[in-house]
Amino acid sequence: MPSKQQSCDHTFKCNHSTESIHSCVSSVPIFNHLEKEQMAEIMDMVQSLIYKKGEILYHAGDPSDSLSIVNKGKIKIYRLSESGKEQLIRILHPGDFTGELALFTETIHEAYAEAMLETHVCIIKRADLHTLLLRYPTISFKILAEFAARLEQSEKQTTNLATEKVEKRIALYLIECLGEGKYLKQPQEIKLPMTKKDLASYLGTTPETISRKLSDFEEQGYIEQKPQNKMKIWGHALAELTR
């Protein structure tokens, strides 16, 4: 089965517009610190693809031979257990990337990547990436910084799954969504970046448990649920549950 990254067929579209490729290169943190001439050089190496909602970018076991950068849309990275249960690993937003292990070795993907809505992706092959890393070492530092951030998040998630009750896991996640305003006493409104089903997969529980615990939080005055996956959160109060 030919890779989607190698050909264009009826299931998805190639997007070769200069505007699309420039937007991708200029928005991703590993490239946007470079000079315009350097980014122009990278643009010549990039292929831009469009995936439909629900379309799989790669499967577990597929060769990992390129870096995929999200320009527009959203991608979920997940694994499947032997029973077929989905374990969400992370969600990629514009500027995020996947396939970074292709930088260092010939390997295969250990997870699945699926477009959560129509998603524009920029692809850079391994050989071109090696050329860029040798020419512009600062890119390597940016990628290593992303590795470090992902490792920290992965360790935090693993620890929470192993040691914390589901109520605390949900509270910690909601507080994390608040960012810098997590301990403000006034409420803040956020839009959850994933569905309750995906959140349950990410936190190692069930959608029913998520719904029940969020209702409990609402009754206790920690949150107020709103339509379209929006929520008002009293971060200062909710933080008490995590202590």
Side-chain angles (χ1 to χ4, degrees):
M1 178 179 176
S3 169
K4 292 176 182 176
Q5 297 173 359
Q6 296 172 342
S7 62
C8 290
D9 56 31
H10 67 282
T11 61
F12 72 104
K13 299 184 291 183
C14 284
N15 182 4
H16 297 299
S17 71
T18 301
E19 181 181 355
S20 174
I21 294 175
H22 178 270
S23 173
C24 194
V25 174
S26 62
S27 66
V28 65
I30 62 174
F31 295 139
N32 62 10
H33 63 287
L34 299 173
E35 300 294 333
K36 289 184 179 179
E37 296 78 8
Q38 296 169 337
M39 283 196 285
E41 180 183 350
I42 296 172
M43 287 174 59
D44 291 335
M45 301 178 178
V46 170
Q47 181 185 15
S48 182
L49 306 180
I50 300 175
Y51 292 86
K52 299 174 184 176
K53 180 181 178 180
E55 198 166 7
I56 302 296
L57 283 75
Y58 56 76
H59 298 75
D62 285 350
S64 177
D65 61 358
S66 57
L67 189 74
S68 300
I69 304 166
V70 181
N71 181 27
K72 178 182 178 182
K74 192 158 53 173
I75 294 171
K76 66 176 179 179
I77 309 295
Y78 62 92
R79 291 190 173 96
L80 291 179
S81 67
E82 292 184 1
S83 64
K85 184 177 180 180
E86 182 181 302
Q87 174 61 57
L88 183 64
I89 299 172
R90 71 176 65 90
I91 291 180
L92 306 181
H93 299 89
D96 294 334
F97 55 85
T98 182
E100 59 277 359
L101 291 180
L103 297 175
F104 306 104
T105 182
E106 293 186 12
T107 185
I108 61 172
H109 291 291
E110 296 183 351
Y112 295 78
E114 178 182 329
M116 301 178 71
L117 39 89
E118 182 177 278
T119 300
H120 297 220
V121 178
C122 291
I123 307 294
I124 305 179
K125 292 294 184 179
R126 179 191 293 116
D128 292 328
L129 276 169
H130 285 175
T131 299
L132 291 173
L133 293 177
L134 290 172
R135 195 168 298 168
Y136 309 119
T138 52
I139 296 176
S140 301
F141 290 111
K142 292 285 185 177
I143 292 174
L144 288 173
E146 176 64 18
F147 279 173
R150 288 188 184 182
L151 179 60
E152 180 182 10
Q153 181 61 35
S154 178
E155 289 178 344
K156 184 187 300 182
Q157 183 183 6
T158 300
T159 299
N160 287 342
L161 288 174
T163 63
E164 304 295 354
K165 294 181 178 180
V166 64
E167 180 179 72
K168 187 171 180 179
R169 296 203 298 269
I170 297 171
L172 286 168
Y173 177 80
L174 294 178
I175 290 171
E176 187 177 303
C177 288
L178 291 175
E180 294 181 359
K182 63 181 73 174
Y183 297 120
L184 296 178
K185 292 188 177 181
Q186 63 267 33
Q188 294 173 273
E189 186 168 298
I190 65 164
K191 181 177 176 64
L192 289 176
M194 62 182 81
T195 64
K196 289 179 181 176
K197 178 182 176 182
D198 286 332
L199 181 57
S201 173
Y202 184 69
L203 295 179
T205 185
T206 65
E208 294 76 16
T209 299
I210 292 290
S211 294
R212 186 172 66 253
K213 292 299 182 182
L214 290 179
S215 295
D216 291 344
F217 286 173
E218 193 163 27
E219 290 180 5
Q220 295 165 19
Y222 298 130
I223 67 171
E224 179 184 341
Q225 299 186 78
K226 294 176 172 290
Q228 299 180 331
N229 228 26
K230 293 181 180 179
M231 183 182 297
K232 187 178 288 186
I233 300 176
W234 280 260
H236 181 76
L238 192 61
E240 295 295 325
L241 289 178
T242 68
R243 293 176 182 171

